[in-house]
Amino acid sequence: MKLSLPFVKKQPVVAVVRLSGAIGMSGRGSMSDTALAPVLEKAFRKGKPAAVALEVNSPGGSPVQSSLIGARIRRLSEELDVPVFAFVEDVAASGGYWLAAAADEIYADDSSVLGSIGVISSSFGAHVLLKRQGIERRVHTAGESKSMLDPFSPEKKEDVARLEALLTDIHENFIAHVKARRGMRLDETQDLFTGEIWLARRAQELGLIDGIAHLKPKMQERFGDKVKFRRYGLRKPLWSRFGASLAQDAIAGLEERAAYARFGL
C-alpha cells in the first residue's frame, strides 16, 4: 500500500515515450496510431506528469500514420496541459520529423540527421521483363484510372501526372504542419521543404530544432535534479517473440533497414 502524506511536495515526473523505427510498416511492432494510442494515453494521463519527452529515432514512413500520431500527441498535450519535448537520436526525417514537430520544443544530438520535409513514392517497372519471357499482361477495369501505375504495364504520362498531384498535396500538408508547429522560429530566407537533410547544428540555425541537448540533463535543467522518469513504449506481441510470422517480420525489417540506409545509417 502506497502512503500519501499531505503537504509533502511530490517530485516532478517526466513520462518518456520511445518513438523508434519506420512508421506504418507491415511488421509487428511498427509505429502506427492504433498501436501507440494506449501508450500515449497512459504516458499523458498516469500520475499527472510535468512533461512528456519523446525519444524520436525514425526515418519516416506513412504520411497518414505520421499525421494521426502527431495529432494525437497535440490533442493530449492541449487537453491535459502537459508540455511535450522531443529528443532526436540518429534521425528524425520525413515522417520522423513530423512526429518531432508535434512537440513544443525539439532537441537533438550534434550528429543527428533531421529534415527530409518532402514526399516520395517508389515502385518498379517489370513490363519489359515480362515481354522478354513471352508473358502477356491482361488487365480489365471499370474506370479508366483503376489500373494507375500498374508495375507490370508500361508507364503512362497521365498516371504520373495524377501521382505527382497527389504527392504535391501531401507535401503541402507536411509543410503546413511544420509551419504551424515551428512558426516564427523557421528561417524564412531558406527553402526548407525540398526534402534536404541537415545535421543538428545547421537544423538549429534554420529553426527546425531548438537546441543541442540530451533528454536527461535537459529535463533535469528544466524540472530539477530530482525529476523522475517513467518510460513507455511499444511491446512486441507475445507470439512474435516466439518466432511467429518470421517471413513477414523479416521483410518489414528489410524495408525499415532500407529506409534508414537512405540517411547513411
Side-chain angles (χ1 to χ4, degrees):
M1 182 176 67
K2 187 176 180 181
L3 182 62
S4 180
L5 298 176
F7 312 114
V8 175
K9 186 178 181 180
K10 294 182 179 179
Q11 298 301 333
V13 173
V14 171
V16 181
V17 179
R18 184 156 187 81
L19 303 177
S20 179
I23 304 166
M25 291 292 186
S26 57
R28 291 183 174 88
S30 175
M31 284 196 288
S32 69
D33 181 56
T34 298
L36 282 168
V39 176
L40 291 169
E41 289 284 342
K42 189 178 294 184
F44 275 92
R45 296 183 186 279
K46 185 175 180 181
K48 296 182 180 179
V52 169
L54 307 174
E55 291 179 324
V56 181
N57 191 2
S58 174
S62 164
V64 174
Q65 292 303 316
S66 301
S67 177
L68 290 173
I69 296 166
R72 184 178 296 277
I73 291 169
R74 292 313 315 152
R75 285 197 304 273
L76 288 167
S77 174
E78 292 165 10
E79 175 190 343
L80 301 169
D81 194 24
V82 176
V84 181
F85 301 84
F87 293 88
V88 178
E89 295 181 348
D90 298 281
V91 59
S94 194
Y97 184 74
W98 189 305
L99 298 185
D104 300 297
E105 298 178 24
I106 306 173
Y107 297 94
D109 181 81
D110 268 310
S111 298
S112 298
V113 177
L114 299 105
S116 190
I117 304 171
V119 184
I120 185 172
S121 174
S122 58
S123 183
F124 61 90
H127 62 284
V128 175
L129 176 62
L130 294 183
K131 185 176 181 180
R132 287 175 180 171
Q133 299 303 316
I135 301 172
E136 181 184 4
R137 174 68 165 166
R138 296 174 179 174
V139 179
H140 307 280
T141 70
E144 62 181 18
S145 301
K146 189 63 178 177
S147 62
M148 186 179 81
L149 297 174
D150 175 14
F152 299 104
S153 301
E155 194 172 64
K156 300 176 183 178
K157 290 184 179 180
E158 57 267 31
D159 288 350
V160 174
R162 292 189 191 100
L163 176 62
E164 289 177 347
L166 291 174
L167 296 180
T168 298
D169 288 345
I170 296 172
H171 192 202
E172 289 298 325
N173 292 339
F174 197 170
I175 293 171
H177 171 68
V178 174
K179 287 184 175 181
R181 295 301 307 143
R182 299 300 298 170
M184 298 300 294
R185 289 173 285 189
L186 295 175
D187 185 346
E188 295 182 356
T189 67
Q190 303 291 323
D191 186 355
L192 306 177
F193 310 116
T194 64
E196 187 177 351
I197 56 174
W198 302 273
L199 290 184
R201 292 286 177 185
R202 181 56 177 154
Q204 182 180 1
E205 293 173 0
L206 295 171
L208 294 171
I209 66 173
D210 296 284
I212 309 298
H214 296 163
L215 192 154
K216 185 175 180 179
K218 174 55 71 173
M219 292 295 90
Q220 287 178 327
E221 174 189 314
R222 190 64 62 93
F223 299 105
D225 291 338
K226 294 184 179 181
V227 62
K228 296 181 179 180
F229 299 94
R230 187 179 294 129
R231 291 188 165 272
Y232 302 87
L234 289 175
R235 293 183 179 180
K236 290 186 177 181
L238 181 62
W239 55 86
S240 70
R241 300 177 201 173
F242 289 95
S245 300
L246 287 178
Q248 180 183 6
D249 289 345
I251 292 172
L254 289 173
E255 292 175 342
E256 185 171 272
R257 186 67 263 158
Y260 275 105
R262 291 178 51 232
F263 305 101
L265 300 170

